[in-house]
Amino acid sequence: MEGEKAISLLAELYKQYPKHYVAVDCSIFGYEDGELKLLLYPRGFEPAQGKWSLMGGFVQENESMEEAARRVLLQTTGLKDIFLEQATAFSKPDRDPGARVISMTFVALIRIDIHDKDLVRESGAHWWPVTKLPALIFDHSEIVTNGLALLQQKASIDLIGKELLPDMFTLMQLRNLYEAIFQKTFDPGNFRKKVLSLDILERLSVKNTKESKKGAFYYKFKSGDYGLRSERIVKFP
Amino acid sequence: MEGEKAISLLAELYKQYPKHYVAVDCSIFGYEDGELKLLLYPRGFEPAQGKWSLMGGFVQENESMEEAARRVLLQTTGLKDIFLEQATAFSKPDRDPGARVISMTFVALIRIDIHDKDLVRESGAHWWPVTKLPALIFDHSEIVTNGLALLQQKASIDLIGKELLPDMFTLMQLRNLYEAIFQKTFDPGNFRKKVLSLDILERLSVKNTKESKKGAFYYKFKSGDYGLRSERIVKFP
DNA sequence: CCAAAAGTGTTGCTTGTACACCCATGT
DNA sequence: ACATGGGTGTACAAGCAACACTTTTGG
């Protein structure tokens, strides 16, 4: 066929161009003990031994970059179907001392309460509060800063929480999450009114009586995919 | 040295992973005759002959992806120092029939009035109104849709115009640009007040008397890089 | 009782929006 | 004279921020 011949000519044309290693690196955020945390892996060998790194991996022949990221996340946390969003690519020729590696970075949001803790522990990984991060290899600090900014931007447009909190949560827990993300305090009353006005939370009949004397109702996200069908834009400063 | 040995071991470690062709594709937007336009190149050979494509190129060994995009833009428009922003990467293994090519996409904004028209004409390129785009090769339509969404988002946060309009412009011209970007009309009075309240435009003493009977003052963007130092967030619409 | 969080209400300010209105002038 | 865009003002609604206030209950 003509078509096939054309395609093989195209393949021939491409041969003059260089190929590159392509990696994915994930900023994996979780929320625990009132803090926003980042999952990091210790580097056991030189160069940069003793520093920490984001979880990453190389893109294989038969997978897209997002598939590569999901594969890596499944291997390291045991979780499927996690929130994953493409962030910024880093491609300076000398960013990795081992070879020229182009890295596509992703932001992943994990519910710490349901991930595979044993799997994480085995690998020596550790959840670090984003306010006290250790030294990271290569340009990974820059990647994290970039991912955090993306997370903040996302949180200011959508109401996130489904991805980071347990199924049931109190409005104080949700507010504390937002305070951890934005590193600022929100007025409890105003936060409550704003969030409830969005009409995407459902109040349950159960109360949490541990974190307050009076007891606070649990809420959950309404079922039926909001965020896709809703045009609502939430503006948190 | 120990360090060098470690680095070569790292390089050895990477050898088990596949390499990929990495390309950049640019959605080049311009503004002319009251319309938002996109610069497209005709495809002269099979497969997909007769369709149009974005301008792109392969990433070389010694350049970052952004540098590759700037190189391509210089070659095709003759312009340096143009506005360029990383958009979304496309990496489905079969997106290009010739070979597995990973494409990083960019949005570029061009001032049509100062680009090298001869260079563009030679290549057979054509500025298409974004409202009437032809069929594009591969997944380029998806790339354009994505780039347009990014442009809209950017225009709703920053005041763009410096990148698309002549040095001097009237507020009507700026409004028409925004109407072209968002495909909706803005109230002239309200648009004027909103834009001027940002305090980033400077009124000149010259008037444009061609487009209105009364004559409208020209404005320009104040010098001193706003957009970097300003925390202002403009919300259009 | 008191501290601490839950939950509701009030008030003032800022912002967006829909207009009305006068101005200047080329045709 | 009149249509067209330039430019300013006004009136109303919506949203947000600051903060007062009541409720509940474990210690």
Side-chain angles (χ1 to χ4, degrees):
Chain A
M1 271 186 62
E2 276 304 307
E4 286 177 20
K5 196 192 289 178
I7 286 170
S8 70
L9 279 173
L10 195 57
E12 206 58 38
L13 180 68
Y14 290 171
K15 288 220 173 97
Q16 63 185 296
Y17 299 107
K19 288 185 162 190
H20 308 274
Y21 292 121
V22 179
V24 294
D25 285 303
C26 300
S27 296
I28 307 174
F29 292 103
Y31 178 66
E32 192 180 42
D33 303 329
E35 286 184 308
L36 188 65
K37 295 184 177 179
L38 183 69
L39 189 59
L40 293 175
Y41 291 78
R43 178 125 173 140
F45 50 91
E46 292 292 349
Q49 186 167 21
K51 289 197 176 180
W52 294 74
S53 87
L54 296 174
M55 180 41 58
F58 286 88
V59 176
Q60 304 296 329
E61 292 288 7
N62 56 345
E63 63 183 1
S64 68
M65 298 195 293
E66 182 177 324
E67 285 163 355
R70 290 194 184 280
R71 172 175 54 76
V72 164
L73 287 167
L74 179 59
Q75 284 165 7
T76 53
T77 67
L79 292 178
K80 283 186 178 188
D81 302 322
I82 58 188
F83 175 90
L84 187 65
E85 194 162 297
Q86 204 183 101
T88 303
F90 288 75
S91 64
K92 284 208 197 89
D94 58 354
R95 55 174 292 281
D96 186 321
R100 199 266 160 96
V101 178
I102 292 172
S103 175
M104 186 71 230
T105 72
F106 288 84
V107 168
L109 302 182
I110 295 279
R111 277 180 48 189
I112 295 189
D113 63 320
I114 61 168
H115 83 296
D116 189 332
K117 292 183 179 60
D118 294 332
L119 205 57
V120 168
R121 201 178 304 116
E122 273 173 35
S123 62
H126 188 252
W127 285 99
W128 290 80
V130 292
T131 52
K132 299 160 208 154
L133 293 178
L136 303 186
I137 63 165
F138 309 164
D139 54 2
H140 284 203
S141 290
E142 198 183 341
I143 294 174
V144 170
T145 302
N146 181 276
L148 195 52
L150 193 133
L151 176 59
Q152 288 183 341
Q153 200 206 323
K154 173 137 194 87
S156 67
I157 290 173
D158 287 346
L159 187 64
I160 64 177
K162 202 186 188 107
E163 299 86 4
L164 291 167
L165 293 172
D167 289 325
M168 302 192 329
F169 49 88
T170 65
L171 292 180
M172 186 177 76
Q173 290 166 349
L174 181 61
R175 175 165 53 85
N176 287 339
L177 168 62
Y178 265 79
E179 293 182 339
I181 291 175
F182 288 96
Q183 291 292 303
K184 59 166 281 189
T185 58
F186 291 92
D187 179 276
N190 293 337
F191 185 87
R192 149 186 299 275
K193 273 175 286 186
K194 177 67 172 281
V195 163
L196 292 180
S197 75
L198 302 177
D199 197 34
I200 58 178
L201 295 186
E202 187 180 334
R203 199 180 81 175
L204 306 178
S205 45
V206 203
K207 276 197 173 191
N208 172 330
T209 52
K210 285 180 191 145
E211 300 181 25
S212 82
K213 328 273 184 176
K214 184 179 175 182
F217 279 106
Y218 277 115
Y219 287 79
K220 71 180 183 96
F221 282 83
K222 284 187 182 174
S223 53
D225 242 345
Y226 283 82
L228 290 178
R229 98 173 129 88
S230 80
E231 277 298 321
R232 51 181 97 261
I233 285 175
V234 188
K235 189 69 205 144
F236 282 100
Chain B
M1 272 184 59
E2 276 303 308
E4 285 178 22
K5 196 193 288 178
I7 287 172
S8 69
L9 279 173
L10 196 58
E12 205 60 38
L13 180 69
Y14 289 171
K15 289 222 173 97
Q16 63 186 294
Y17 299 107
K19 288 184 162 191
H20 308 273
Y21 292 121
V22 178
V24 294
D25 285 303
C26 300
S27 296
I28 306 174
F29 292 103
Y31 178 67
E32 192 181 43
D33 302 331
E35 286 185 308
L36 187 65
K37 296 185 177 178
L38 183 69
L39 189 59
L40 292 174
Y41 291 78
R43 178 126 175 140
F45 50 92
E46 292 293 347
Q49 185 168 19
K51 289 195 176 181
W52 294 74
S53 87
L54 296 172
M55 180 42 57
F58 286 88
V59 176
Q60 303 296 328
E61 292 287 8
N62 56 344
E63 63 182 2
S64 68
M65 297 194 295
E66 182 176 325
E67 285 163 354
R70 291 195 184 280
R71 173 175 54 76
V72 164
L73 287 167
L74 178 60
Q75 285 165 6
T76 53
T77 66
L79 292 177
K80 283 186 181 190
D81 302 324
I82 58 188
F83 175 90
L84 187 65
E85 194 162 296
Q86 203 183 100
T88 303
F90 288 75
S91 64
K92 284 209 197 90
D94 58 354
R95 57 175 290 281
D96 186 321
R100 199 265 160 97
V101 178
I102 291 172
S103 175
M104 185 72 231
T105 72
F106 288 84
V107 168
L109 303 183
I110 296 278
R111 278 180 48 188
I112 294 189
D113 62 321
I114 60 167
H115 83 296
D116 189 332
K117 292 182 179 62
D118 293 332
L119 205 57
V120 168
R121 202 178 304 117
E122 274 173 33
S123 62
H126 188 251
W127 286 98
W128 291 81
V130 293
T131 51
K132 298 160 208 156
L133 293 178
L136 304 186
I137 63 164
F138 308 165
D139 53 3
H140 284 203
S141 290
E142 199 183 341
I143 295 174
V144 169
T145 302
N146 182 276
L148 195 52
L150 193 134
L151 175 60
Q152 288 183 343
Q153 201 205 324
K154 172 137 196 86
S156 68
I157 289 172
D158 288 345
L159 187 64
I160 64 177
K162 203 186 187 105
E163 298 86 3
L164 290 167
L165 293 172
D167 290 324
M168 304 192 328
F169 50 88
T170 64
L171 292 180
M172 185 177 76
Q173 289 166 350
L174 181 60
R175 175 166 53 87
N176 286 340
L177 169 62
Y178 265 79
E179 294 182 338
I181 291 175
F182 288 98
Q183 290 293 303
K184 58 166 282 190
T185 59
F186 292 91
D187 179 276
N190 294 336
F191 185 87
R192 148 186 300 275
K193 272 175 285 187
K194 176 68 171 281
V195 163
L196 292 180
S197 75
L198 302 176
D199 196 35
I200 57 179
L201 295 186
E202 187 180 334
R203 198 181 80 176
L204 306 178
S205 46
V206 203
K207 277 195 172 192
N208 172 329
T209 52
K210 287 180 189 143
E211 300 181 25
S212 80
K213 329 273 183 176
K214 184 178 175 183
F217 280 108
Y218 276 116
Y219 286 78
K220 71 180 182 95
F221 282 83
K222 284 187 183 174
S223 53
D225 242 346
Y226 283 82
L228 290 178
R229 97 173 130 91
S230 78
E231 277 299 321
R232 49 182 99 262
I233 286 177
V234 187
K235 190 67 203 140
F236 284 102

mmCIF file with all atom_site columns, all heavy atoms in Angstrom, chain B residues 41 73-79 115-125:
data_model
loop_
_atom_site.group_PDB
_atom_site.id
_atom_site.type_symbol
_atom_site.label_atom_id
_atom_site.label_alt_id
_atom_site.label_comp_id
_atom_site.label_asym_id
_atom_site.label_entity_id
_atom_site.label_seq_id
_atom_site.pdbx_PDB_ins_code
_atom_site.Cartn_x
_atom_site.Cartn_y
_atom_site.Cartn_z
_atom_site.occupancy
_atom_site.B_iso_or_equiv
_atom_site.pdbx_formal_charge
_atom_site.auth_seq_id
_atom_site.auth_comp_id
_atom_site.auth_asym_id
_atom_site.auth_atom_id
_atom_site.pdbx_PDB_model_num
ATOM 1   N N   . TYR B 1 41  ? 1.352  25.070 9.049  1.00 0.00 ? 41  TYR B N   1
ATOM 2   C CA  . TYR B 1 41  ? 2.196  24.705 7.912  1.00 0.00 ? 41  TYR B CA  1
ATOM 3   C C   . TYR B 1 41  ? 1.550  23.590 7.118  1.00 0.00 ? 41  TYR B C   1
ATOM 4   O O   . TYR B 1 41  ? 1.051  22.625 7.699  1.00 0.00 ? 41  TYR B O   1
ATOM 5   C CB  . TYR B 1 41  ? 3.580  24.271 8.408  1.00 0.00 ? 41  TYR B CB  1
ATOM 6   C CG  . TYR B 1 41  ? 4.326  25.453 8.958  1.00 0.00 ? 41  TYR B CG  1
ATOM 7   C CD1 . TYR B 1 41  ? 4.031  25.933 10.231 1.00 0.00 ? 41  TYR B CD1 1
ATOM 8   C CD2 . TYR B 1 41  ? 5.267  26.140 8.193  1.00 0.00 ? 41  TYR B CD2 1
ATOM 9   C CE1 . TYR B 1 41  ? 4.658  27.058 10.730 1.00 0.00 ? 41  TYR B CE1 1
ATOM 10  C CE2 . TYR B 1 41  ? 5.905  27.264 8.697  1.00 0.00 ? 41  TYR B CE2 1
ATOM 11  C CZ  . TYR B 1 41  ? 5.590  27.715 9.960  1.00 0.00 ? 41  TYR B CZ  1
ATOM 12  O OH  . TYR B 1 41  ? 6.212  28.833 10.439 1.00 0.00 ? 41  TYR B OH  1
ATOM 13  N N   . LEU B 1 73  ? 11.145 28.506 16.431 1.00 0.00 ? 73  LEU B N   1
ATOM 14  C CA  . LEU B 1 73  ? 10.405 29.753 16.204 1.00 0.00 ? 73  LEU B CA  1
ATOM 15  C C   . LEU B 1 73  ? 11.262 30.788 15.487 1.00 0.00 ? 73  LEU B C   1
ATOM 16  O O   . LEU B 1 73  ? 10.781 31.525 14.619 1.00 0.00 ? 73  LEU B O   1
ATOM 17  C CB  . LEU B 1 73  ? 9.918  30.313 17.534 1.00 0.00 ? 73  LEU B CB  1
ATOM 18  C CG  . LEU B 1 73  ? 8.755  29.541 18.145 1.00 0.00 ? 73  LEU B CG  1
ATOM 19  C CD1 . LEU B 1 73  ? 8.526  29.949 19.591 1.00 0.00 ? 73  LEU B CD1 1
ATOM 20  C CD2 . LEU B 1 73  ? 7.493  29.754 17.326 1.00 0.00 ? 73  LEU B CD2 1
ATOM 21  N N   . LEU B 1 74  ? 12.532 30.822 15.839 1.00 0.00 ? 74  LEU B N   1
ATOM 22  C CA  . LEU B 1 74  ? 13.427 31.754 15.160 1.00 0.00 ? 74  LEU B CA  1
ATOM 23  C C   . LEU B 1 74  ? 13.543 31.386 13.677 1.00 0.00 ? 74  LEU B C   1
ATOM 24  O O   . LEU B 1 74  ? 13.469 32.246 12.801 1.00 0.00 ? 74  LEU B O   1
ATOM 25  C CB  . LEU B 1 74  ? 14.807 31.729 15.832 1.00 0.00 ? 74  LEU B CB  1
ATOM 26  C CG  . LEU B 1 74  ? 15.874 32.624 15.213 1.00 0.00 ? 74  LEU B CG  1
ATOM 27  C CD1 . LEU B 1 74  ? 15.427 34.088 15.242 1.00 0.00 ? 74  LEU B CD1 1
ATOM 28  C CD2 . LEU B 1 74  ? 17.205 32.479 15.942 1.00 0.00 ? 74  LEU B CD2 1
ATOM 29  N N   . GLN B 1 75  ? 13.677 30.087 13.427 1.00 0.00 ? 75  GLN B N   1
ATOM 30  C CA  . GLN B 1 75  ? 13.795 29.630 12.040 1.00 0.00 ? 75  GLN B CA  1
ATOM 31  C C   . GLN B 1 75  ? 12.547 29.947 11.219 1.00 0.00 ? 75  GLN B C   1
ATOM 32  O O   . GLN B 1 75  ? 12.637 30.200 10.020 1.00 0.00 ? 75  GLN B O   1
ATOM 33  C CB  . GLN B 1 75  ? 14.028 28.112 12.001 1.00 0.00 ? 75  GLN B CB  1
ATOM 34  C CG  . GLN B 1 75  ? 15.448 27.700 12.394 1.00 0.00 ? 75  GLN B CG  1
ATOM 35  C CD  . GLN B 1 75  ? 15.545 26.212 12.703 1.00 0.00 ? 75  GLN B CD  1
ATOM 36  O OE1 . GLN B 1 75  ? 14.576 25.476 12.521 1.00 0.00 ? 75  GLN B OE1 1
ATOM 37  N NE2 . GLN B 1 75  ? 16.715 25.784 13.155 1.00 0.00 ? 75  GLN B NE2 1
ATOM 38  N N   . THR B 1 76  ? 11.408 29.932 11.843 1.00 0.00 ? 76  THR B N   1
ATOM 39  C CA  . THR B 1 76  ? 10.187 30.049 11.055 1.00 0.00 ? 76  THR B CA  1
ATOM 40  C C   . THR B 1 76  ? 9.572  31.443 11.050 1.00 0.00 ? 76  THR B C   1
ATOM 41  O O   . THR B 1 76  ? 8.832  31.777 10.143 1.00 0.00 ? 76  THR B O   1
ATOM 42  C CB  . THR B 1 76  ? 9.124  29.049 11.553 1.00 0.00 ? 76  THR B CB  1
ATOM 43  O OG1 . THR B 1 76  ? 8.952  29.236 12.958 1.00 0.00 ? 76  THR B OG1 1
ATOM 44  C CG2 . THR B 1 76  ? 9.570  27.637 11.292 1.00 0.00 ? 76  THR B CG2 1
ATOM 45  N N   . THR B 1 77  ? 9.866  32.230 12.069 1.00 0.00 ? 77  THR B N   1
ATOM 46  C CA  . THR B 1 77  ? 9.261  33.568 12.108 1.00 0.00 ? 77  THR B CA  1
ATOM 47  C C   . THR B 1 77  ? 10.312 34.667 12.121 1.00 0.00 ? 77  THR B C   1
ATOM 48  O O   . THR B 1 77  ? 9.976  35.845 11.981 1.00 0.00 ? 77  THR B O   1
ATOM 49  C CB  . THR B 1 77  ? 8.386  33.757 13.357 1.00 0.00 ? 77  THR B CB  1
ATOM 50  O OG1 . THR B 1 77  ? 9.221  33.733 14.522 1.00 0.00 ? 77  THR B OG1 1
ATOM 51  C CG2 . THR B 1 77  ? 7.352  32.650 13.465 1.00 0.00 ? 77  THR B CG2 1
ATOM 52  N N   . GLY B 1 78  ? 11.555 34.322 12.339 1.00 0.00 ? 78  GLY B N   1
ATOM 53  C CA  . GLY B 1 78  ? 12.603 35.321 12.410 1.00 0.00 ? 78  GLY B CA  1
ATOM 54  C C   . GLY B 1 78  ? 12.630 36.079 13.726 1.00 0.00 ? 78  GLY B C   1
ATOM 55  O O   . GLY B 1 78  ? 13.392 37.030 13.878 1.00 0.00 ? 78  GLY B O   1
ATOM 56  N N   . LEU B 1 79  ? 11.805 35.663 14.687 1.00 0.00 ? 79  LEU B N   1
ATOM 57  C CA  . LEU B 1 79  ? 11.702 36.408 15.939 1.00 0.00 ? 79  LEU B CA  1
ATOM 58  C C   . LEU B 1 79  ? 12.449 35.748 17.091 1.00 0.00 ? 79  LEU B C   1
ATOM 59  O O   . LEU B 1 79  ? 12.374 34.534 17.294 1.00 0.00 ? 79  LEU B O   1
ATOM 60  C CB  . LEU B 1 79  ? 10.235 36.558 16.336 1.00 0.00 ? 79  LEU B CB  1
ATOM 61  C CG  . LEU B 1 79  ? 9.378  37.452 15.456 1.00 0.00 ? 79  LEU B CG  1
ATOM 62  C CD1 . LEU B 1 79  ? 7.941  37.437 15.950 1.00 0.00 ? 79  LEU B CD1 1
ATOM 63  C CD2 . LEU B 1 79  ? 9.920  38.864 15.434 1.00 0.00 ? 79  LEU B CD2 1
ATOM 64  N N   . HIS B 1 115 ? 6.613  40.229 12.648 1.00 0.00 ? 115 HIS B N   1
ATOM 65  C CA  . HIS B 1 115 ? 7.328  39.000 12.316 1.00 0.00 ? 115 HIS B CA  1
ATOM 66  C C   . HIS B 1 115 ? 7.780  39.022 10.853 1.00 0.00 ? 115 HIS B C   1
ATOM 67  O O   . HIS B 1 115 ? 7.384  39.888 10.069 1.00 0.00 ? 115 HIS B O   1
ATOM 68  C CB  . HIS B 1 115 ? 6.467  37.775 12.605 1.00 0.00 ? 115 HIS B CB  1
ATOM 69  C CG  . HIS B 1 115 ? 5.498  37.432 11.518 1.00 0.00 ? 115 HIS B CG  1
ATOM 70  N ND1 . HIS B 1 115 ? 4.473  38.252 11.154 1.00 0.00 ? 115 HIS B ND1 1
ATOM 71  C CD2 . HIS B 1 115 ? 5.410  36.354 10.715 1.00 0.00 ? 115 HIS B CD2 1
ATOM 72  C CE1 . HIS B 1 115 ? 3.791  37.690 10.169 1.00 0.00 ? 115 HIS B CE1 1
ATOM 73  N NE2 . HIS B 1 115 ? 4.337  36.547 9.887  1.00 0.00 ? 115 HIS B NE2 1
ATOM 74  N N   . ASP B 1 116 ? 8.630  38.097 10.522 1.00 0.00 ? 116 ASP B N   1
ATOM 75  C CA  . ASP B 1 116 ? 9.226  38.072 9.184  1.00 0.00 ? 116 ASP B CA  1
ATOM 76  C C   . ASP B 1 116 ? 8.251  37.433 8.197  1.00 0.00 ? 116 ASP B C   1
ATOM 77  O O   . ASP B 1 116 ? 8.202  36.219 8.038  1.00 0.00 ? 116 ASP B O   1
ATOM 78  C CB  . ASP B 1 116 ? 10.546 37.285 9.231  1.00 0.00 ? 116 ASP B CB  1
ATOM 79  C CG  . ASP B 1 116 ? 11.317 37.413 7.933  1.00 0.00 ? 116 ASP B CG  1
ATOM 80  O OD1 . ASP B 1 116 ? 10.687 37.617 6.872  1.00 0.00 ? 116 ASP B OD1 1
ATOM 81  O OD2 . ASP B 1 116 ? 12.544 37.308 7.972  1.00 0.00 ? 116 ASP B OD2 1
ATOM 82  N N   . LYS B 1 117 ? 7.498  38.296 7.539  1.00 0.00 ? 117 LYS B N   1
ATOM 83  C CA  . LYS B 1 117 ? 6.436  37.785 6.674  1.00 0.00 ? 117 LYS B CA  1
ATOM 84  C C   . LYS B 1 117 ? 6.979  36.984 5.486  1.00 0.00 ? 117 LYS B C   1
ATOM 85  O O   . LYS B 1 117 ? 6.383  36.010 5.049  1.00 0.00 ? 117 LYS B O   1
ATOM 86  C CB  . LYS B 1 117 ? 5.582  38.950 6.141  1.00 0.00 ? 117 LYS B CB  1
ATOM 87  C CG  . LYS B 1 117 ? 4.774  39.628 7.244  1.00 0.00 ? 117 LYS B CG  1
ATOM 88  C CD  . LYS B 1 117 ? 3.898  40.736 6.676  1.00 0.00 ? 117 LYS B CD  1
ATOM 89  C CE  . LYS B 1 117 ? 3.078  41.411 7.759  1.00 0.00 ? 117 LYS B CE  1
ATOM 90  N NZ  . LYS B 1 117 ? 3.898  42.070 8.800  1.00 0.00 ? 117 LYS B NZ  1
ATOM 91  N N   . ASP B 1 118 ? 8.142  37.399 4.972  1.00 0.00 ? 118 ASP B N   1
ATOM 92  C CA  . ASP B 1 118 ? 8.714  36.684 3.831  1.00 0.00 ? 118 ASP B CA  1
ATOM 93  C C   . ASP B 1 118 ? 9.076  35.250 4.199  1.00 0.00 ? 118 ASP B C   1
ATOM 94  O O   . ASP B 1 118 ? 8.786  34.310 3.470  1.00 0.00 ? 118 ASP B O   1
ATOM 95  C CB  . ASP B 1 118 ? 9.961  37.422 3.317  1.00 0.00 ? 118 ASP B CB  1
ATOM 96  C CG  . ASP B 1 118 ? 9.599  38.772 2.719  1.00 0.00 ? 118 ASP B CG  1
ATOM 97  O OD1 . ASP B 1 118 ? 8.462  38.907 2.224  1.00 0.00 ? 118 ASP B OD1 1
ATOM 98  O OD2 . ASP B 1 118 ? 10.445 39.683 2.765  1.00 0.00 ? 118 ASP B OD2 1
ATOM 99  N N   . LEU B 1 119 ? 9.699  35.138 5.387  1.00 0.00 ? 119 LEU B N   1
ATOM 100 C CA  . LEU B 1 119 ? 10.118 33.818 5.857  1.00 0.00 ? 119 LEU B CA  1
ATOM 101 C C   . LEU B 1 119 ? 8.916  32.895 5.981  1.00 0.00 ? 119 LEU B C   1
ATOM 102 O O   . LEU B 1 119 ? 8.959  31.728 5.578  1.00 0.00 ? 119 LEU B O   1
ATOM 103 C CB  . LEU B 1 119 ? 10.791 33.988 7.231  1.00 0.00 ? 119 LEU B CB  1
ATOM 104 C CG  . LEU B 1 119 ? 11.797 32.942 7.674  1.00 0.00 ? 119 LEU B CG  1
ATOM 105 C CD1 . LEU B 1 119 ? 12.924 32.830 6.658  1.00 0.00 ? 119 LEU B CD1 1
ATOM 106 C CD2 . LEU B 1 119 ? 12.369 33.322 9.036  1.00 0.00 ? 119 LEU B CD2 1
ATOM 107 N N   . VAL B 1 120 ? 7.845  33.445 6.519  1.00 0.00 ? 120 VAL B N   1
ATOM 108 C CA  . VAL B 1 120 ? 6.645  32.641 6.696  1.00 0.00 ? 120 VAL B CA  1
ATOM 109 C C   . VAL B 1 120 ? 6.041  32.287 5.337  1.00 0.00 ? 120 VAL B C   1
ATOM 110 O O   . VAL B 1 120 ? 5.626  31.151 5.097  1.00 0.00 ? 120 VAL B O   1
ATOM 111 C CB  . VAL B 1 120 ? 5.619  33.399 7.565  1.00 0.00 ? 120 VAL B CB  1
ATOM 112 C CG1 . VAL B 1 120 ? 4.265  32.726 7.526  1.00 0.00 ? 120 VAL B CG1 1
ATOM 113 C CG2 . VAL B 1 120 ? 6.130  33.487 9.007  1.00 0.00 ? 120 VAL B CG2 1
ATOM 114 N N   . ARG B 1 121 ? 6.030  33.240 4.433  1.00 0.00 ? 121 ARG B N   1
ATOM 115 C CA  . ARG B 1 121 ? 5.417  32.996 3.127  1.00 0.00 ? 121 ARG B CA  1
ATOM 116 C C   . ARG B 1 121 ? 6.176  31.914 2.365  1.00 0.00 ? 121 ARG B C   1
ATOM 117 O O   . ARG B 1 121 ? 5.574  31.017 1.782  1.00 0.00 ? 121 ARG B O   1
ATOM 118 C CB  . ARG B 1 121 ? 5.358  34.293 2.319  1.00 0.00 ? 121 ARG B CB  1
ATOM 119 C CG  . ARG B 1 121 ? 4.312  34.257 1.223  1.00 0.00 ? 121 ARG B CG  1
ATOM 120 C CD  . ARG B 1 121 ? 4.224  35.582 0.463  1.00 0.00 ? 121 ARG B CD  1
ATOM 121 N NE  . ARG B 1 121 ? 3.978  36.721 1.328  1.00 0.00 ? 121 ARG B NE  1
ATOM 122 C CZ  . ARG B 1 121 ? 4.829  37.743 1.478  1.00 0.00 ? 121 ARG B CZ  1
ATOM 123 N NH1 . ARG B 1 121 ? 5.978  37.766 0.815  1.00 0.00 ? 121 ARG B NH1 1
ATOM 124 N NH2 . ARG B 1 121 ? 4.538  38.735 2.287  1.00 0.00 ? 121 ARG B NH2 1
ATOM 125 N N   . GLU B 1 122 ? 7.496  32.001 2.411  1.00 0.00 ? 122 GLU B N   1
ATOM 126 C CA  . GLU B 1 122 ? 8.339  31.002 1.727  1.00 0.00 ? 122 GLU B CA  1
ATOM 127 C C   . GLU B 1 122 ? 7.967  29.574 2.083  1.00 0.00 ? 122 GLU B C   1
ATOM 128 O O   . GLU B 1 122 ? 7.975  28.678 1.262  1.00 0.00 ? 122 GLU B O   1
ATOM 129 C CB  . GLU B 1 122 ? 9.808  31.185 2.139  1.00 0.00 ? 122 GLU B CB  1
ATOM 130 C CG  . GLU B 1 122 ? 10.565 32.199 1.336  1.00 0.00 ? 122 GLU B CG  1
ATOM 131 C CD  . GLU B 1 122 ? 11.948 32.413 1.947  1.00 0.00 ? 122 GLU B CD  1
ATOM 132 O OE1 . GLU B 1 122 ? 12.509 31.442 2.497  1.00 0.00 ? 122 GLU B OE1 1
ATOM 133 O OE2 . GLU B 1 122 ? 12.433 33.556 1.892  1.00 0.00 ? 122 GLU B OE2 1
ATOM 134 N N   . SER B 1 123 ? 7.712  29.381 3.376  1.00 0.00 ? 123 SER B N   1
ATOM 135 C CA  . SER B 1 123 ? 7.455  28.021 3.848  1.00 0.00 ? 123 SER B CA  1
ATOM 136 C C   . SER B 1 123 ? 6.035  27.559 3.541  1.00 0.00 ? 123 SER B C   1
ATOM 137 O O   . SER B 1 123 ? 5.684  26.420 3.822  1.00 0.00 ? 123 SER B O   1
ATOM 138 C CB  . SER B 1 123 ? 7.683  27.952 5.353  1.00 0.00 ? 123 SER B CB  1
ATOM 139 O OG  . SER B 1 123 ? 6.766  28.818 6.000  1.00 0.00 ? 123 SER B OG  1
ATOM 140 N N   . GLY B 1 124 ? 5.240  28.446 2.972  1.00 0.00 ? 124 GLY B N   1
ATOM 141 C CA  . GLY B 1 124 ? 3.857  28.071 2.658  1.00 0.00 ? 124 GLY B CA  1
ATOM 142 C C   . GLY B 1 124 ? 2.930  28.150 3.851  1.00 0.00 ? 124 GLY B C   1
ATOM 143 O O   . GLY B 1 124 ? 1.779  27.744 3.790  1.00 0.00 ? 124 GLY B O   1
ATOM 144 N N   . ALA B 1 125 ? 3.449  28.681 4.937  1.00 0.00 ? 125 ALA B N   1
ATOM 145 C CA  . ALA B 1 125 ? 2.631  28.756 6.155  1.00 0.00 ? 125 ALA B CA  1
ATOM 146 C C   . ALA B 1 125 ? 1.508  29.760 5.977  1.00 0.00 ? 125 ALA B C   1
ATOM 147 O O   . ALA B 1 125 ? 1.567  30.636 5.118  1.00 0.00 ? 125 ALA B O   1
ATOM 148 C CB  . ALA B 1 125 ? 3.494  29.148 7.342  1.00 0.00 ? 125 ALA B CB  1
#
